Amino acid sequence: MAQTIRISLDVMGGDAGAEVVVPGAALALERHPGITFHLYGDEAIVAPLLEAHPALKQASTLHHCDVSVAMDAKPSQALRQGRWRSSMWRAIEAVKSGEADVAVSAGNTGALMAMSKFCLRTMANIERPAIAAIWPTARGESIVLDVGATIGADAQQLIDFALLGGAMARVLFGIERPTVGLLNIGVEEVKGLEEVRTAGKLLREADLHSLSYYGFVEGDDLGKGTVDVVVTEGFAGNIALKTAEGTAKQIGGYLRSAMNRTWRARLGYLLAKDAFDRLRQKMDPRNVNGGVFLGLNGIVIKSHGGTDAEGFAAAVELAHDMARNDLMPKISQDLLHYHRGRFAARDGSEGDQ
Amino acid sequence: MAQTIRISLDVMGGDAGAEVVVPGAALALERHPGITFHLYGDEAIVAPLLEAHPALKQASTLHHCDVSVAMDAKPSQALRQGRWRSSMWRAIEAVKSGEADVAVSAGNTGALMAMSKFCLRTMANIERPAIAAIWPTARGESIVLDVGATIGADAQQLIDFALLGGAMARVLFGIERPTVGLLNIGVEEVKGLEEVRTAGKLLREADLHSLSYYGFVEGDDLGKGTVDVVVTEGFAGNIALKTAEGTAKQIGGYLRSAMNRTWRARLGYLLAKDAFDRLRQKMDPRNVNGGVFLGLNGIVIKSHGGTDAEGFAAAVELAHDMARNDLMPKISQDLLHYHRGRFAARDGSEGDQ
């Protein structure tokens, strides 16, 4: 029998709220019948929507919440108004209490991160959380973190991100020792931020069994898929992510207008329509919907706020994969191993003195 | 009679050196017959190549240099070995001495920036130089700076970049009061780096006549062309630039493989070939080849090291446009105006006390 994965959903999060979350969850359940859901939201809105999805209704427990966090709420405001009782808070709290294995919300990122930190707290030996994005590459997918949680990470925090991202790559890609690169400008040792250089030196020296440190990578290595995991602080990571999304849209726009200019181009487009559909499918941001909050005592997945049911289903399926493949225990194990190694190294060097 | 623009070229710079620089300069000269060149390089290599380009030979003065800066030289090494006598140094020096209006090199960026700083020095009231890139957008072109010269710029340096970029936009796009945005993560005032927030506040308060401050922009605004000038510190700017280049290549790869998969797609491709050619032309990185070093007492243009003659010609033409439209005097004027305004504001507030 397949393992049951328990997922808590902030049903009110996202631009369309329950209208997208409920059918999205239903789609994910069709593909992974082993999921059970805890749904947090306004019963008057959610219950009628569930009627159209009997299988989901069957697999779900609905918990009524009076309060929803607004999409434009500031983190502090969301915490003040939504702590203890909002659908977002309670979805996260279900992870803390052990009722759910993972939480998913399409609510606003700042509020979701603030509440996740407040409720779940950072793991022992992790100072700051990271948001990990799945990045489509020329050779498949990579993990990029942090894409916006921790601005100006120091060397030790970058190393933490490497460990967290490495564990996620083992879980998501099934690679035993994923390659990890540090995002930098220029591959020479002399270049780049002091923190990045220091983190590179420490990662090389640590020679971890859970990941293979590749060295520095640059912005264009993201699309190439040079490494399985790209580590960076949140400011540059967020800029990179949004720049890539913007560039993809821009080229999509060029392509559409080029294919519409002449009757020959339009005819060519019709003939090659299958190819264009494949391309569109390949570039569809819904395929990789879901930012994974790492470094907290529990996993929270942030879905794009503006996604549709198909996109939300992808975020739920990502949550399912993370929980089924034991992301949290693997992270703990990797962290323990790394810190034991540091401890042993320090002991050893002290012994030599 | 058209104004003569005098351009100095590091003929030995770039992966292919004189083999690309000489025909590239010849192409630019065909399009702008008003250019005269100072060529710096190894006479034994350059002189024979000039024979194939009589018009260029006619418009050029060739200065022999024994030393060329290697493409993999570290900045300090390049300065030690190449100062006073390398083709790169002497091309820059020609700007300092007033023999040339602008210098162009396809040599390595770190060495070119180090030499440019050492030879030309930063302008009065400018602490750090910036590299400005021309960014193709959905609505035309924008200027993005800094893309790699100044890591971790503070608020005042970001304001300097705004002024420098604003002047360049007036020159390049002929806009009287270009819009300027600060690259940030999220458009709410609460988000992002402290320096970016402070720079935003100061720019808003300064209410400059030379530029219109738009506010924060995000990574996806780059491709949209939301503003004429995007200002950022060099680390994030370089990551953004390379990420966009990488994404464009990645999608190009997807498109090629999709169009090759079936005979219908291949036939469609043939019919729409004009459209694909337009798209390719639109995405051709050679169109926007040339990073402009700003903030120094003279203009230096960095061409991609791996470009071909057509790409190098684009960098020379960019140099031509910058000089012909009086970039340096416009920058000086804008800086003067900004600092007078600050001085007056301080005087005024002191008078009120």
Side-chain angles (χ1 to χ4, degrees), chain A residues 136 151 193 218 223 242 250 261, chain B residues 136 151 193 218 223 242 250:
Chain A
I151 290 175
L193 292 166
E218 297 196 63
K242 296 238 168 105
Q250 180 186 355
R261 250 177 57 88
Chain B
I151 290 175
L193 293 166
E218 298 196 63
K242 297 238 168 104
Q250 181 186 354

Side-chain angles (χ1 to χ4, degrees), chain B residues 169-184:
Chain B
R170 284 161 67 202
V171 161
L172 196 65
F173 307 142
I175 304 170
E176 209 36 60
R177 199 161 177 251
T179 52
V180 176
L182 287 169
L183 193 60
N184 201 351

Side-chain angles (χ1 to χ4, degrees), chain B residues 165-211:
Chain B
M168 181 168 156
R170 284 161 67 202
V171 161
L172 196 65
F173 307 142
I175 304 170
E176 209 36 60
R177 199 161 177 251
T179 52
V180 176
L182 287 169
L183 193 60
N184 201 351
I185 64 170
V187 288
E188 301 159 42
E189 293 291 328
V190 290
K191 282 190 183 176
L193 293 166
E194 189 60 37
E195 305 84 280
V196 179
R197 285 205 297 270
T198 308
K201 188 170 164 289
L202 294 173
L203 273 176
R204 198 177 293 287
E205 287 167 4
D207 191 25
L208 298 164
H209 83 298
S210 66
L211 61 87

